[in-house]
């Protein structure tokens, strides 16, 4: 049995895929659901015995759990498919995705590429392939029953009432919030054309309009809502109360969760399904014709129309040796070979059952696909992509009144490609970073975003332009003077129109691989939560933070002044004396000074030095927020007593209200700051160890110095991590817990006072906020 999670408990999620699981409990079980409507979420959970802690209003919360099942069903609205699908694949889920897979060619290509790159199964809900009706047609074609296929005439008869319900009043009425009707309604049918023709598309032409459901055709004196006293209610076939109180359950469910007559009427009074069909914000076509030429010279004429009494599909396929005709609603097919006097007519049973049996067929096939890895003859992701592309080509042809070439059309939709930033792309990368964060990013972060660091700037390109960026800079972190190779990740950004496509997540993985190849064991990231937590990085830290509000006069023999270039040599020597710091060359320290003193609007940066006599004895990097009227000490070095006594003077000197001073818990400065309010704080950043073996090896001298013996780590897949010093062991079920043990905080950890780990962890590490960029 396979286990599944559901995102979107609507008509399809509840009534098709959920219903299948209830009928086939030994084949598939839903174990979690994400649905914003509390009634639908509760109903689905009740049906499938889903535990309360597996019921979510938002799919972010569900996917934050990681991979808790085999596959994920995504049944959200058309324009809401890409983000959850990309996030679910990043977690490791196989995907069953409602059609259409996405509402742009670019996103369709992106989803297919992501599934193929991650070697995950992605099935699109093209259910018509799985009906006995269309399966029989395919079998006849494959058997050569009509010779070589030459032409197809296919009609999708949407029916007048279905057109009004879904594409005039309903969720698919406007392509700005859903998708063009040829995609939303007919990608099923276009998929069949690809399935039958078995060839690459050559050209497409299309014509269609919104001709009838417009204000120009509104009867006189008709109100905006049917129930506001419409004088035409007796004669209008679209009068909402008449349509929905007598409609099938799937139509009623779209109107209201309360499907009683009173519940429906209350929802119709001023709800979307109660609007006059001639006075809504619909803009999708009500009739359209598509002509397709395949490379093997098969031609197709496809008509979609909302002006029929039948709600079904009819088809005629013509070959060199015969023809096939069919009527889906009757579930009747006719095969007439030219060498026989009479056609062969077959009846395929009940056609009313869930898309003519297609819903059951596709679920049977998906379950088998999950169990056996056999995609079956009907499941083909590349063909699903082609059918979507056909819809986009048809819409472009309709709008531009031109014949659209497949080759020319697809040349505009390049797959997103990733790699390091090249010289000709450098200023594009800087422009994206500056647009996302703040102006002058290149001048503020000279090491991270300097041209010399391009080989560590990872980008995602679409249409020849950088759309996402992840940057890192290598350094060495001194832990009580013992070196650990680190990479500082910052300026992670994605162009707004390309967000929620997993670009940054992919680049973070690439940057991690690159850093590991450089012998780096630890990543320090300027952000936390969200994407970084899913990437495996944890917000950590073991520091004490002080708030200083008073500005007393202190009698001492040293004074405060702003940094001067002539101070550099002395400041740099003070920096080199710090036992907790990043290793920086003299040139790197100069670049740091230059970049971190660059002004911003409403934020100032400064470096103050403390002088005794003529000697510089300490320094502090400051961030001054002119809105909050606060100063943040971002890095400091030198004599601790002098720093502690001069802090109130810094407030006075810069005329601000509060000074924030974070310091590692092991720093001796705490002995001088006991008079000030304090509380535990963290790094305000995320840490991720990317090579535990190398990391532990680098820490070995520090561990031996503090504990007198070596530490070992063992890792068992799916069983967590174990650290041991001598006979003492600690076990962690996941990397986030291990990160917090190594780097802090320990607030919720029960570690005995006698444990040898207490002298080793949390590791004493300099505060990395902002300055970890370089």
């Amino acid at each position: 049995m396979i286990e599944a999670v559901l995102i979107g408990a609507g008509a399809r999620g509840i009534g098709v895929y959920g219903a299948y699981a209830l009928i086939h409990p030994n084949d598939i079980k839903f174990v979690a659901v994400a649905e914003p409507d509390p009634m639908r979420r509760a109903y689905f959970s009740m049906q499938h015995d889903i535990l309360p802690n597996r019921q979510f209003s938002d799919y972010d919360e569900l996917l934050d759990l990681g991979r808790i099942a085999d596959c994920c069903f995504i049944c959200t609205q058309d324009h809401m498919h890409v983000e959850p699908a990309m996030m679910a694949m990043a977690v490791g889920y196989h995907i069953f995705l409602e059609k259409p897979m996405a509402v742009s060619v670019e996103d369709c290509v992106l989803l297919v590429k992501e599934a193929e790159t991650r070697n995950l199964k992605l099935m699109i809900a093209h259910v018509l392939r799985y009906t006995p009706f269309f399966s029989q047609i395919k079998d006849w074609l494959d058997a050569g029953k009509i010779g070589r296929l030459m032409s197809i005439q296919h009609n999708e008869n949407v029916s007048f009432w279905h057109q009004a319900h879904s594409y005039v009043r309903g969720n698919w009425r406007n392509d700005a919030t859903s998708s063009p009707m040829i995609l939303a309604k007919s990608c099923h049918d276009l998929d069949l054309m690809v399935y039958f023709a078995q060839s690459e598309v050559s050209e497409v032409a299309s014509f269609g309009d919104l001709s009838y459901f417009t204000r120009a055709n509104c009867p006189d004196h008709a109100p905006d809502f049917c129930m506001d006293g419409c004088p035409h209610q007796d004669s209008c076939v679209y009068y909402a109360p008449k349509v929905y109180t007598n409609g099938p359950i799937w139509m009623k469910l779209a109107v209201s969760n309360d499907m009683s007559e009173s519940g429906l009427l209350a929802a119709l009074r001023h709800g979307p399904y109660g609007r006059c069909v001639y006075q809504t914000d619909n803009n999708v076509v009500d009739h359209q014709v598509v002509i397709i030429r395949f490379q093997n010279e098969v031609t197709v004429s496809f008509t979609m129309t909302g002006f029929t009494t039948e709600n079904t599909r009819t088809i005629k396929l013509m070959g060199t040796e015969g023809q096939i005709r069919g009527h889906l609603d009757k579930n009747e097919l006719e095969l007439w070979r030219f060498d026989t006097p009479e056609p062969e007519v077959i009846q395929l049973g009940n056609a009313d059952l869930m898309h003519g049996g297609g819903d059951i067929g596709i679920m049977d096939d998906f379950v088998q696909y999950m169990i056996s890895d056999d995609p079956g003859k009907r499941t083909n992701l590349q063909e699903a992509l082609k059918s979507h592309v056909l819809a986009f080509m048809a819409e472009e042809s309709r709008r531009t009144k031109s014949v659209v070439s497949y080759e020319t059309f697809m040349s505009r939709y390049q797959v997103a490609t990733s790699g390091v930033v090249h010289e000709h792309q450098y200023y594009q990368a800087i422009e994206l970073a500056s647009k996302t964060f703040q102006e002058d990013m290149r001048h503020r972060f000279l090491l991270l975003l300097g041209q010399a660091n391009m080989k560590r700037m990872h980008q995602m390109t679409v249409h020849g332009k950088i759309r996402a960026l992840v940057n890192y800079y290598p350094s060495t972190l001194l832990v009580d003077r013992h070196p650990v190779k680190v990479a500082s990740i910052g300026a992670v950004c994605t162009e707004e129109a390309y967000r929620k496509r997993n670009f940054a997540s992919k680049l973070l993985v690439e940057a991690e691989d690159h850093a590991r190849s450089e012998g780096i064991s630890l990543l320090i990231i300027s952000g936390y939560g969200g994407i970084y937590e899913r990437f495996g990085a944890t917000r950590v830290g073991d520091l004490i933070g002080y708030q200083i509000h008073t500005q007393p006069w202190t009698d001492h023999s040293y004074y405060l002044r702003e940094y001067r270039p002539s101070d550099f040599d002395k400041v740099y020597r003070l920096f080199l004396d710090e036992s907790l710091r990043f290793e920086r060359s003299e040139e790197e320290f100069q670049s740091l000074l230059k970049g971190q003193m660059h002004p911003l609007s409403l934020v100032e940066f400064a470096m103050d030095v403390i002088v005794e006599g003529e000697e510089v004895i300490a320094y502090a990097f400051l961030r001054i927020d002119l809105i909050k009227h606060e100063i943040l000490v971002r890095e400091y070095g030198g004599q601790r007593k002098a720093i502690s006594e001069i802090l109130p003077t810094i407030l006075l000197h810069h005329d601000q209200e509060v000074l924030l001073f974070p310091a590692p818990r092991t720093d001796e400065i705490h002995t001088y700051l006991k008079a000030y309010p304090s509380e535990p704080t963290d790094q305000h950043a995320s840490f991720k160890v990317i090579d535990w073996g190398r990391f532990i090896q680098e820490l070995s001298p520090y561990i031996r110095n503090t504990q007198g013996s070596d530490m070992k780590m063992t890792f068992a897949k799916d069983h967590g991590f174990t650290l041991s010093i001598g006979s003492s062991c600690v076990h962690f079920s996941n990397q986030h817990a291990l990160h917090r043990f190594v780097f802090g905080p320990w607030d919720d950890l029960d570690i005995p006072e006698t444990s040898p780990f207490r002298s080793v962890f949390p590791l004493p590490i300099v505060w990395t906020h902002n300055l970890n960029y370089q």
Side-chain angles (χ1 to χ4, degrees), residues 23-24 105 113 228 239 257 285 334 447 568 616 713:
I23 298 170
H24 301 83
V105 180
K113 180 175 183 286
D228 284 350
Y239 181 61
N257 289 331
V285 300
E334 174 190 282
L447 298 176
F568 177 80
V616 175
M713 166 180 276

Side-chain angles (χ1 to χ4, degrees), residues 470-520:
V470 169
N471 314 271
Y472 78 88
Y473 187 79
S475 186
T476 299
L477 184 68
L478 294 187
V479 178
D480 198 19
R481 301 191 185 278
H482 298 286
V484 175
K485 292 191 73 173
V486 301
S488 300
I489 292 185
V492 176
C493 53
T494 304
E495 188 176 314
E496 187 172 5
Y498 290 82
R499 290 172 189 167
K500 308 297 185 181
R501 302 189 189 188
N502 231 35
F503 284 2
S505 295
K506 290 174 67 68
L507 293 180
L508 281 168
V509 172
E510 290 187 17
E512 175 182 322
D513 290 342
H514 191 178
R516 194 182 290 109
S517 72
E518 291 194 86
I520 289 165

Side-chain angles (χ1 to χ4, degrees), residues 420-458:
V420 297
V421 171
H422 297 290
E423 190 170 350
H424 71 280
Q425 299 174 306
Y426 175 69
Y427 287 101
Q428 272 190 41
I430 299 303
E431 180 185 8
L432 176 59
S434 298
K435 183 178 178 181
T436 304
F437 296 106
Q438 55 198 248
E439 295 181 0
D440 298 325
M441 286 290 286
R442 182 168 64 100
H443 296 106
R444 284 191 42 72
F445 302 106
L446 296 172
L447 298 176
L448 179 75
L449 297 179
Q451 283 181 283
N453 198 46
M454 280 194 298
K455 68 179 181 180
R456 300 183 187 93
M457 299 167 66
H458 291 258

Side-chain angles (χ1 to χ4, degrees), residues 70-84:
D70 303 297
C71 57
C72 177
F73 282 68
I74 298 176
C75 307
T76 53
Q77 290 297 311
D78 296 359
H79 66 287
M80 298 170 62
H81 287 174
V82 177
E83 180 180 352

Side-chain angles (χ1 to χ4, degrees), residues 204-456:
V204 174
S206 183
F207 306 92
D209 294 285
L210 172 58
S211 299
Y212 182 62
F213 295 100
T214 67
R215 292 183 182 273
N217 295 304
C218 183
D220 293 340
H221 310 298
D224 289 345
F225 290 86
C226 292
M227 295 179 67
D228 284 350
C230 181
H232 309 283
Q233 59 184 272
D234 293 335
S235 59
C236 181
V237 297
Y238 303 109
Y239 181 61
K242 179 169 55 183
V243 170
Y244 291 105
T245 56
N246 297 304
I249 288 177
W250 67 268
M251 286 180 64
K252 292 179 179 179
L253 183 61
V255 176
S256 172
N257 289 331
D258 179 359
M259 290 181 282
S260 66
E261 183 170 327
S262 60
L264 290 170
L265 292 176
L268 290 172
R269 183 162 298 281
H270 289 114
Y273 291 93
R275 288 176 294 194
C276 172
V277 293
Y278 306 101
Q279 301 182 78
T280 81
D281 60 343
N282 61 310
N283 72 348
V284 299
V285 300
D286 49 26
H287 61 125
Q288 187 169 352
V289 175
V290 181
I291 302 167
I292 308 166
R293 182 178 185 272
F294 288 90
Q295 288 185 12
N296 64 357
E297 298 180 347
V298 170
T299 56
V300 173
S301 173
F302 167 60
T303 298
M304 174 192 68
T305 177
F307 305 109
T308 59
T309 54
E310 293 183 310
N311 183 50
T312 189
R313 291 168 168 90
T314 56
I315 191 168
K316 183 177 182 180
L317 302 98
M318 294 149 277
T320 57
E321 299 174 16
Q323 67 179 34
I324 299 169
R325 291 196 304 175
H327 189 292
L328 179 60
D329 205 33
K330 297 176 182 178
N331 227 6
E332 181 180 278
L333 284 170
E334 174 190 282
L335 169 64
W336 197 334
R337 286 186 52 81
F338 298 155
D339 58 1
T340 60
E342 296 291 334
E344 175 188 351
V345 179
I346 64 172
Q347 293 286 338
L348 295 163
N350 181 13
D352 294 332
L353 184 62
M354 302 170 78
H355 273 114
D359 287 337
I360 294 174
I362 197 171
M363 285 298 292
D364 286 342
D365 203 62
F366 181 71
V367 169
Q368 188 60 35
Y369 186 21
M370 288 294 300
I371 293 171
S372 67
D373 289 335
D374 179 8
K377 67 179 182 179
R378 290 187 289 258
T379 300
N380 189 313
L381 189 53
Q382 285 298 326
E383 287 187 359
L385 176 60
K386 289 177 190 175
S387 65
H388 283 70
V389 170
L390 263 177
F392 291 114
M393 292 174 65
E395 186 64 6
E396 177 166 311
S397 173
R398 184 187 74 83
R399 291 181 179 277
T400 62
K401 296 180 172 57
S402 63
V403 176
V404 177
S405 158
Y406 180 85
E407 184 177 345
T408 303
F409 183 82
M410 285 305 293
S411 69
R412 305 201 309 260
Y413 294 95
Q414 301 171 8
V415 175
T417 57
S418 61
V420 297
V421 171
H422 297 290
E423 190 170 350
H424 71 280
Q425 299 174 306
Y426 175 69
Y427 287 101
Q428 272 190 41
I430 299 303
E431 180 185 8
L432 176 59
S434 298
K435 183 178 178 181
T436 304
F437 296 106
Q438 55 198 248
E439 295 181 0
D440 298 325
M441 286 290 286
R442 182 168 64 100
H443 296 106
R444 284 191 42 72
F445 302 106
L446 296 172
L447 298 176
L448 179 75
L449 297 179
Q451 283 181 283
N453 198 46
M454 280 194 298
K455 68 179 181 180
R456 300 183 187 93

